[in-house]
mmCIF file of all heavy atoms in Angstrom:
data_model
loop_
_atom_site.group_PDB
_atom_site.id
_atom_site.type_symbol
_atom_site.label_atom_id
_atom_site.label_comp_id
_atom_site.label_asym_id
_atom_site.label_seq_id
_atom_site.Cartn_x
_atom_site.Cartn_y
_atom_site.Cartn_z
ATOM 1 N N LYS L 5 70.296 57.771 43.603
ATOM 2 C CA LYS L 5 70.660 59.119 44.044
ATOM 3 C C LYS L 5 69.612 60.134 43.615
ATOM 4 O O LYS L 5 69.156 60.965 44.418
ATOM 5 C CB LYS L 5 72.031 59.487 43.460
ATOM 6 C CG LYS L 5 72.603 60.800 43.957
ATOM 7 C CD LYS L 5 73.986 61.005 43.355
ATOM 8 C CE LYS L 5 74.607 62.307 43.811
ATOM 9 N NZ LYS L 5 75.945 62.526 43.215
ATOM 10 N N ALA L 6 69.214 60.077 42.355
ATOM 11 C CA ALA L 6 68.190 60.998 41.854
ATOM 12 C C ALA L 6 66.871 60.779 42.585
ATOM 13 O O ALA L 6 66.187 61.737 42.959
ATOM 14 C CB ALA L 6 68.001 60.799 40.348
ATOM 15 N N PHE L 7 66.510 59.526 42.799
ATOM 16 C CA PHE L 7 65.256 59.210 43.484
ATOM 17 C C PHE L 7 65.225 59.795 44.891
ATOM 18 O O PHE L 7 64.269 60.480 45.278
ATOM 19 C CB PHE L 7 65.062 57.692 43.550
ATOM 20 C CG PHE L 7 63.925 57.251 44.431
ATOM 21 C CD1 PHE L 7 62.606 57.370 43.995
ATOM 22 C CD2 PHE L 7 64.162 56.746 45.696
ATOM 23 C CE1 PHE L 7 61.551 56.982 44.819
ATOM 24 C CE2 PHE L 7 63.115 56.355 46.513
ATOM 25 C CZ PHE L 7 61.807 56.473 46.072
ATOM 26 N N LEU L 8 66.264 59.533 45.675
ATOM 27 C CA LEU L 8 66.268 59.938 47.086
ATOM 28 C C LEU L 8 66.285 61.456 47.243
ATOM 29 O O LEU L 8 65.527 62.014 48.040
ATOM 30 C CB LEU L 8 67.471 59.318 47.799
ATOM 31 C CG LEU L 8 67.415 57.800 47.992
ATOM 32 C CD1 LEU L 8 68.709 57.299 48.623
ATOM 33 C CD2 LEU L 8 66.219 57.411 48.854
ATOM 34 N N PHE L 9 67.137 62.120 46.462
ATOM 35 C CA PHE L 9 67.255 63.568 46.637
ATOM 36 C C PHE L 9 66.045 64.319 46.088
ATOM 37 O O PHE L 9 65.606 65.311 46.674
ATOM 38 C CB PHE L 9 68.555 64.080 46.000
ATOM 39 C CG PHE L 9 69.745 63.933 46.899
ATOM 40 C CD1 PHE L 9 70.536 62.795 46.849
ATOM 41 C CD2 PHE L 9 70.069 64.905 47.824
ATOM 42 C CE1 PHE L 9 71.626 62.638 47.689
ATOM 43 C CE2 PHE L 9 71.152 64.772 48.670
ATOM 44 C CZ PHE L 9 71.937 63.625 48.600
ATOM 45 N N VAL L 10 65.490 63.868 44.999
ATOM 46 C CA VAL L 10 64.281 64.508 44.482
ATOM 47 C C VAL L 10 63.107 64.244 45.423
ATOM 48 O O VAL L 10 62.271 65.124 45.651
ATOM 49 C CB VAL L 10 63.970 64.010 43.057
ATOM 50 C CG1 VAL L 10 62.584 64.478 42.602
ATOM 51 C CG2 VAL L 10 65.022 64.522 42.087
ATOM 52 N N LEU L 11 63.047 63.041 45.990
ATOM 53 C CA LEU L 11 61.999 62.722 46.964
ATOM 54 C C LEU L 11 62.060 63.664 48.153
ATOM 55 O O LEU L 11 61.042 64.235 48.574
ATOM 56 C CB LEU L 11 62.152 61.269 47.428
ATOM 57 C CG LEU L 11 61.231 60.807 48.568
ATOM 58 C CD1 LEU L 11 59.765 60.883 48.150
ATOM 59 C CD2 LEU L 11 61.587 59.392 49.009
ATOM 60 N N VAL L 12 63.253 63.864 48.701
ATOM 61 C CA VAL L 12 63.427 64.762 49.845
ATOM 62 C C VAL L 12 63.088 66.196 49.465
ATOM 63 O O VAL L 12 62.437 66.925 50.215
ATOM 64 C CB VAL L 12 64.877 64.673 50.383
ATOM 65 C CG1 VAL L 12 65.128 65.754 51.426
ATOM 66 C CG2 VAL L 12 65.130 63.302 50.995
ATOM 67 N N ALA L 13 63.529 66.611 48.269
ATOM 68 C CA ALA L 13 63.278 67.990 47.827
ATOM 69 C C ALA L 13 61.796 68.270 47.652
ATOM 70 O O ALA L 13 61.320 69.379 47.911
ATOM 71 C CB ALA L 13 64.018 68.257 46.515
ATOM 72 N N GLU L 14 61.051 67.276 47.208
ATOM 73 C CA GLU L 14 59.632 67.478 46.900
ATOM 74 C C GLU L 14 58.757 67.470 48.149
ATOM 75 O O GLU L 14 57.650 68.010 48.135
ATOM 76 C CB GLU L 14 59.169 66.389 45.923
ATOM 77 C CG GLU L 14 57.779 66.593 45.354
ATOM 78 C CD GLU L 14 57.681 67.765 44.390
ATOM 79 O OE1 GLU L 14 58.721 68.365 44.065
ATOM 80 O OE2 GLU L 14 56.554 68.085 43.968
ATOM 81 N N MET L 15 59.256 66.870 49.248
ATOM 82 C CA MET L 15 58.471 66.815 50.478
ATOM 83 C C MET L 15 58.261 68.229 51.035
ATOM 84 O O MET L 15 59.217 68.955 51.298
ATOM 85 C CB MET L 15 59.174 65.944 51.521
ATOM 86 C CG MET L 15 59.286 64.477 51.120
ATOM 87 S SD MET L 15 57.683 63.682 50.839
ATOM 88 C CE MET L 15 57.030 63.649 52.501
ATOM 89 N N GLY L 16 57.029 68.622 51.182
ATOM 90 C CA GLY L 16 56.719 69.952 51.696
ATOM 91 C C GLY L 16 56.799 71.053 50.659
ATOM 92 O O GLY L 16 56.594 72.229 50.972
ATOM 93 N N ASP L 17 57.101 70.691 49.401
ATOM 94 C CA ASP L 17 57.196 71.694 48.341
ATOM 95 C C ASP L 17 55.793 72.126 47.919
ATOM 96 O O ASP L 17 54.804 71.429 48.145
ATOM 97 C CB ASP L 17 57.947 71.106 47.137
ATOM 98 C CG ASP L 17 58.324 72.177 46.134
ATOM 99 O OD1 ASP L 17 59.113 73.058 46.489
ATOM 100 O OD2 ASP L 17 57.821 72.133 44.999
ATOM 101 N N LYS L 18 55.720 73.280 47.256
ATOM 102 C CA LYS L 18 54.409 73.823 46.886
ATOM 103 C C LYS L 18 53.667 72.917 45.908
ATOM 104 O O LYS L 18 52.441 72.864 45.915
ATOM 105 C CB LYS L 18 54.563 75.213 46.273
ATOM 106 C CG LYS L 18 55.287 75.264 44.937
ATOM 107 C CD LYS L 18 55.355 76.688 44.418
ATOM 108 C CE LYS L 18 55.969 76.744 43.024
ATOM 109 N NZ LYS L 18 57.374 76.309 42.990
ATOM 110 N N THR L 19 54.410 72.174 45.058
ATOM 111 C CA THR L 19 53.733 71.309 44.107
ATOM 112 C C THR L 19 53.159 70.062 44.778
ATOM 113 O O THR L 19 52.201 69.471 44.275
ATOM 114 C CB THR L 19 54.687 70.897 42.977
ATOM 115 O OG1 THR L 19 55.951 70.522 43.534
ATOM 116 C CG2 THR L 19 54.892 72.032 42.002
ATOM 117 N N GLN L 20 53.728 69.661 45.902
ATOM 118 C CA GLN L 20 53.121 68.577 46.672
ATOM 119 C C GLN L 20 51.793 69.046 47.253
ATOM 120 O O GLN L 20 50.797 68.317 47.260
ATOM 121 C CB GLN L 20 54.050 68.116 47.794
ATOM 122 C CG GLN L 20 53.544 66.845 48.494
ATOM 123 C CD GLN L 20 54.389 66.468 49.685
ATOM 124 O OE1 GLN L 20 54.788 67.321 50.477
ATOM 125 N NE2 GLN L 20 54.673 65.185 49.837
ATOM 126 N N LEU L 21 51.774 70.293 47.716
ATOM 127 C CA LEU L 21 50.526 70.882 48.223
ATOM 128 C C LEU L 21 49.523 71.052 47.089
ATOM 129 O O LEU L 21 48.307 70.893 47.284
ATOM 130 C CB LEU L 21 50.817 72.233 48.888
ATOM 131 C CG LEU L 21 51.821 72.211 50.037
ATOM 132 C CD1 LEU L 21 52.046 73.633 50.564
ATOM 133 C CD2 LEU L 21 51.325 71.314 51.161
ATOM 134 N N LEU L 22 50.026 71.367 45.905
ATOM 135 C CA LEU L 22 49.157 71.509 44.738
ATOM 136 C C LEU L 22 48.499 70.172 44.400
ATOM 137 O O LEU L 22 47.305 70.121 44.081
ATOM 138 C CB LEU L 22 49.965 72.016 43.541
ATOM 139 C CG LEU L 22 49.250 72.077 42.189
ATOM 140 C CD1 LEU L 22 48.056 73.018 42.267
ATOM 141 C CD2 LEU L 22 50.210 72.526 41.104
ATOM 142 N N ALA L 23 49.264 69.091 44.469
ATOM 143 C CA ALA L 23 48.712 67.765 44.205
ATOM 144 C C ALA L 23 47.611 67.425 45.207
ATOM 145 O O ALA L 23 46.579 66.846 44.847
ATOM 146 C CB ALA L 23 49.827 66.715 44.256
ATOM 147 N N MET L 24 47.829 67.806 46.468
ATOM 148 C CA MET L 24 46.805 67.574 47.491
ATOM 149 C C MET L 24 45.537 68.356 47.173
ATOM 150 O O MET L 24 44.413 67.859 47.324
ATOM 151 C CB MET L 24 47.347 67.977 48.869
ATOM 152 C CG MET L 24 48.462 67.092 49.383
ATOM 153 S SD MET L 24 49.264 67.789 50.853
ATOM 154 C CE MET L 24 47.857 67.909 51.960
ATOM 155 N N ALA L 25 45.720 69.619 46.725
ATOM 156 C CA ALA L 25 44.566 70.461 46.407
ATOM 157 C C ALA L 25 43.785 69.887 45.227
ATOM 158 O O ALA L 25 42.541 69.881 45.234
ATOM 159 C CB ALA L 25 45.029 71.884 46.097
ATOM 160 N N CYS L 26 44.499 69.410 44.217
ATOM 161 C CA CYS L 26 43.831 68.826 43.052
ATOM 162 C C CYS L 26 43.058 67.566 43.423
ATOM 163 O O CYS L 26 41.999 67.282 42.861
ATOM 164 C CB CYS L 26 44.861 68.504 41.966
ATOM 165 S SG CYS L 26 45.584 69.965 41.174
ATOM 166 N N ALA L 27 43.605 66.804 44.394
ATOM 167 C CA ALA L 27 42.948 65.563 44.810
ATOM 168 C C ALA L 27 41.618 65.833 45.502
ATOM 169 O O ALA L 27 40.748 64.958 45.543
ATOM 170 C CB ALA L 27 43.864 64.776 45.745
ATOM 171 N N SER L 28 41.459 67.038 46.015
ATOM 172 C CA SER L 28 40.192 67.371 46.664
ATOM 173 C C SER L 28 39.104 67.706 45.650
ATOM 174 O O SER L 28 37.925 67.781 45.995
ATOM 175 C CB SER L 28 40.388 68.567 47.613
ATOM 176 O OG SER L 28 40.666 69.749 46.880
ATOM 177 N N LYS L 29 39.513 67.910 44.387
ATOM 178 C CA LYS L 29 38.557 68.285 43.356
ATOM 179 C C LYS L 29 38.319 67.175 42.335
ATOM 180 O O LYS L 29 37.214 67.017 41.828
ATOM 181 C CB LYS L 29 39.051 69.546 42.642
ATOM 182 C CG LYS L 29 38.090 70.068 41.580
ATOM 183 C CD LYS L 29 38.591 71.371 40.982
ATOM 184 C CE LYS L 29 37.616 71.889 39.935
ATOM 185 N NZ LYS L 29 38.082 73.125 39.291
ATOM 186 N N TYR L 30 39.372 66.391 42.040
ATOM 187 C CA TYR L 30 39.267 65.359 41.009
ATOM 188 C C TYR L 30 39.483 63.981 41.610
ATOM 189 O O TYR L 30 39.918 63.835 42.753
ATOM 190 C CB TYR L 30 40.294 65.607 39.898
ATOM 191 C CG TYR L 30 40.170 66.937 39.227
ATOM 192 C CD1 TYR L 30 41.175 67.894 39.327
ATOM 193 C CD2 TYR L 30 39.042 67.255 38.475
ATOM 194 C CE1 TYR L 30 41.062 69.129 38.693
ATOM 195 C CE2 TYR L 30 38.922 68.490 37.844
ATOM 196 C CZ TYR L 30 39.927 69.414 37.962
ATOM 197 O OH TYR L 30 39.824 70.629 37.348
ATOM 198 N N LYS L 31 39.222 62.952 40.815
ATOM 199 C CA LYS L 31 39.451 61.585 41.245
ATOM 200 C C LYS L 31 40.946 61.322 41.372
ATOM 201 O O LYS L 31 41.760 61.894 40.661
ATOM 202 C CB LYS L 31 38.829 60.610 40.245
ATOM 203 C CG LYS L 31 37.312 60.671 40.171
ATOM 204 C CD LYS L 31 36.777 59.690 39.133
ATOM 205 C CE LYS L 31 35.254 59.756 39.055
ATOM 206 N NZ LYS L 31 34.712 58.815 38.032
ATOM 207 N N LEU L 32 41.277 60.398 42.286
ATOM 208 C CA LEU L 32 42.677 60.116 42.578
ATOM 209 C C LEU L 32 43.444 59.688 41.325
ATOM 210 O O LEU L 32 44.549 60.179 41.067
ATOM 211 C CB LEU L 32 42.768 59.017 43.645
ATOM 212 C CG LEU L 32 44.183 58.572 44.046
ATOM 213 C CD1 LEU L 32 44.974 59.730 44.624
ATOM 214 C CD2 LEU L 32 44.106 57.424 45.046
ATOM 215 N N LYS L 33 42.874 58.787 40.522
ATOM 216 C CA LYS L 33 43.575 58.297 39.337
ATOM 217 C C LYS L 33 43.779 59.399 38.310
ATOM 218 O O LYS L 33 44.769 59.405 37.574
ATOM 219 C CB LYS L 33 42.828 57.120 38.720
ATOM 220 C CG LYS L 33 41.432 57.433 38.223
ATOM 221 C CD LYS L 33 40.765 56.186 37.646
ATOM 222 C CE LYS L 33 39.361 56.483 37.124
ATOM 223 N NZ LYS L 33 38.706 55.261 36.574
ATOM 224 N N GLN L 34 42.855 60.366 38.247
ATOM 225 C CA GLN L 34 43.002 61.483 37.317
ATOM 226 C C GLN L 34 44.151 62.397 37.748
ATOM 227 O O GLN L 34 44.937 62.862 36.922
ATOM 228 C CB GLN L 34 41.699 62.273 37.232
ATOM 229 C CG GLN L 34 40.545 61.491 36.616
ATOM 230 C CD GLN L 34 39.235 62.234 36.707
ATOM 231 O OE1 GLN L 34 39.012 63.029 37.628
ATOM 232 N NE2 GLN L 34 38.342 61.974 35.757
ATOM 233 N N VAL L 35 44.240 62.649 39.051
ATOM 234 C CA VAL L 35 45.308 63.503 39.577
ATOM 235 C C VAL L 35 46.665 62.843 39.368
ATOM 236 O O VAL L 35 47.621 63.484 38.902
ATOM 237 C CB VAL L 35 45.082 63.801 41.076
ATOM 238 C CG1 VAL L 35 46.252 64.604 41.647
ATOM 239 C CG2 VAL L 35 43.783 64.563 41.278
#
Side-chain angles (χ1 to χ4, degrees):
K5 186 177 180 181
F7 170 76
L8 291 176
F9 277 92
V10 170
L11 173 62
V12 171
E14 189 69 6
M15 295 300 291
D17 192 64
K18 66 179 185 296
T19 45
Q20 189 186 42
L21 302 178
L22 173 61
M24 292 169 59
C26 290
S28 68
K29 183 176 181 182
Y30 302 115
K31 294 179 180 179
L32 179 61
K33 62 181 181 181
Q34 294 173 331
V35 176

